[in-house]
Amino acid sequence: MRAAYITETGPAEKIQVDTLPDPIPQAQEVLVRVTAAAVNPIDTYIRGGLVAMELPLPLVVGCDLAGVVEAVGPEASRFRVGDRVWGSNQGLLGRQGSFAELAAVDEQWLYPTPDGVEDETVAATALVGITAHLGLVQEANLQPNETIVVSGGGGAIGSTVIQMARALDAHVVATTGSEESMAYCQTLGAEKTINYRSENLLAQVVEQVPEGADLWWETSRNVDLDLAIGALGLGGRLILMAGRDARPEFPVGLFYVKCCKLLGFAMFQASAAIQRKAAEAINDWLVKGKLKPTIDRVVPLEETPAMHRLQEENTLSGARTLRGKIVVKV
């Protein structure tokens, strides 16, 4: 099979696109003929050696995938040959990745692709969708009519959080760095938008949400906790899901006087059962048109090294040359 893989960690140039032996599904694994996969920041961290994990080498890169079941292992029972499926959680914790013509995936990490939903759509939704749902529902328990501030609403995670929060009947304030991105967030359902580059962000949040926000979702690696906690109301919750090396100052007094809660989570640490609940909600919203990923570009497998560089430039260097997901057609 053709695959994008590494034999050692390092820069994007370490990725090779060549032939590897076809995997054979074992136990509860399902053999998926991959049609689409998506690039995520975590993929670049693992490939670069920035995240310490068990890595079988050669390692096929990538977390997300969509495709068709080609075969099932002897203990697999959830899917049949010919079923369309999507999933995430590959390429980490000792598992092989998704950027290959074939992927042997434990059935617990796969979900049925709804009729009428394209493979590129579910591949682009996979990791960001599960992450957003875990944060909003499992961690923060966002309720109808609550107000959430999405910091960095124009990004892949932020744009997904906006749509899901609206699907949960919450009110959304999105912060972003350009007029164009503000308009984009409004098309996703944000009722109020703030340009953090040209406006006093805290003053604007306080003006637009005088009682304080119920939830602040932080997507930046460099979080301003004085700002985030200052914008929260009594009993407000703050979600952090980025910034492995970040060491921001923490306004302890403001935090406990407001009776706030700080929530941190990593999608791949959640159980398969919890992630499946997220996937069921995602499928429902995709079918109803309440959730639609923004896809920046669709490229062939051979462009995987270049796409890893592009993702890093935007994630780590703030290049702002991406809007939405990179999807690779396999």
Side-chain angles (χ1 to χ4, degrees):
M1 67 175 185
R2 295 280 291 172
Y5 63 92
I6 59 171
T7 56
E8 60 179 332
T9 59
E13 288 71 23
K14 294 291 184 180
I15 298 175
Q16 305 175 50
V17 180
D18 207 337
T19 302
L20 289 177
D22 292 356
I24 299 173
Q26 306 293 321
Q28 296 181 332
E29 289 181 336
V30 171
L31 186 66
V32 179
R33 181 158 293 279
V34 179
T35 56
V39 180
N40 293 286
I42 186 65
D43 304 342
T44 69
Y45 303 155
I46 292 171
R47 182 263 304 148
L50 302 179
V51 177
M53 286 188 181
E54 175 188 355
L55 299 180
L57 296 173
L59 173 73
V60 177
V61 300
C63 287
D64 298 340
L65 79 160
V68 180
V69 174
E70 184 144 310
V72 297
E75 299 173 24
S77 60
R78 294 186 58 232
F79 299 100
R80 297 179 179 179
V81 172
D83 286 349
R84 295 176 63 222
V85 294
W86 66 274
S88 189
N89 287 280
Q90 304 311 300
L92 42 75
L93 299 175
R95 297 189 283 270
Q96 284 289 354
S98 57
F99 279 49
E101 292 177 323
L102 294 168
V105 182
D106 191 303
E107 64 180 4
Q108 68 180 331
W109 305 119
L110 289 173
Y111 321 107
T113 300
D115 292 340
V117 178
E118 295 181 352
D119 287 354
E120 290 89 344
T121 297
V122 285
T125 304
L127 184 145
V128 292
I130 294 173
T131 298
H133 190 276
L134 291 178
L136 292 174
V137 177
Q138 180 71 22
E139 300 295 329
N141 190 27
L142 184 67
Q143 296 298 304
N145 292 317
E146 286 194 314
T147 297
I148 173 176
V149 177
V150 182
S151 174
I157 286 286
S159 61
T160 307
V161 170
I162 290 172
Q163 294 178 76
M164 285 194 181
R166 293 297 293 134
L168 294 166
D169 295 320
H171 302 291
V172 178
V173 177
T175 77
T176 186
S178 71
E179 298 297 319
E180 180 185 9
S181 190
M182 289 171 68
Y184 168 62
C185 290
Q186 290 168 7
T187 68
L188 300 174
E191 296 158 282
K192 301 172 182 177
T193 55
I194 303 170
N195 187 333
Y196 60 76
R197 295 181 184 274
S198 62
E199 302 177 77
N200 183 312
L201 190 50
L202 181 56
Q204 284 295 312
V205 172
V206 170
E207 178 180 329
Q208 298 194 29
V209 192
E211 69 280 11
D214 299 290
L215 176 63
W216 179 289
W217 186 302
E218 183 57 60
T219 65
S220 173
R221 301 172 64 250
N222 301 304
V223 57
D224 183 341
L225 292 177
D226 284 291
L227 167 63
I229 295 170
L232 291 174
L234 186 65
R237 292 95 79 197
L238 168 60
I239 284 182
L240 300 178
M241 42 72 66
R244 289 173 177 270
D245 299 324
R247 296 292 187 273
E249 293 187 7
F250 193 93
V252 175
L254 185 62
F255 181 79
Y256 75 73
V257 166
K258 285 189 172 185
C259 304
C260 294
K261 296 178 177 64
L262 180 62
L263 306 168
F265 73 101
M267 180 275 280
F268 56 83
Q269 300 287 14
S271 71
I274 290 174
Q275 295 199 44
R276 189 178 303 163
K277 289 181 180 179
E280 290 169 355
I282 289 167
N283 277 347
D284 181 59
W285 288 333
L286 286 171
V287 169
K288 292 178 178 177
K290 294 185 176 182
L291 177 63
K292 183 178 181 179
T294 299
I295 297 175
D296 184 271
R297 66 194 68 193
V298 179
V299 301
L301 183 67
E302 284 69 25
E303 293 191 30
T304 300
M307 294 304 100
H308 265 234
R309 286 194 296 273
L310 179 61
Q311 185 67 64
E312 283 179 324
E313 289 168 1
N314 282 265
T315 304
L316 301 179
S317 303
R320 302 176 69 194
T321 54
L322 273 178
R323 169 161 293 169
K325 300 289 293 183
I326 302 169
V327 173
V328 170
K329 291 284 286 183
V330 181

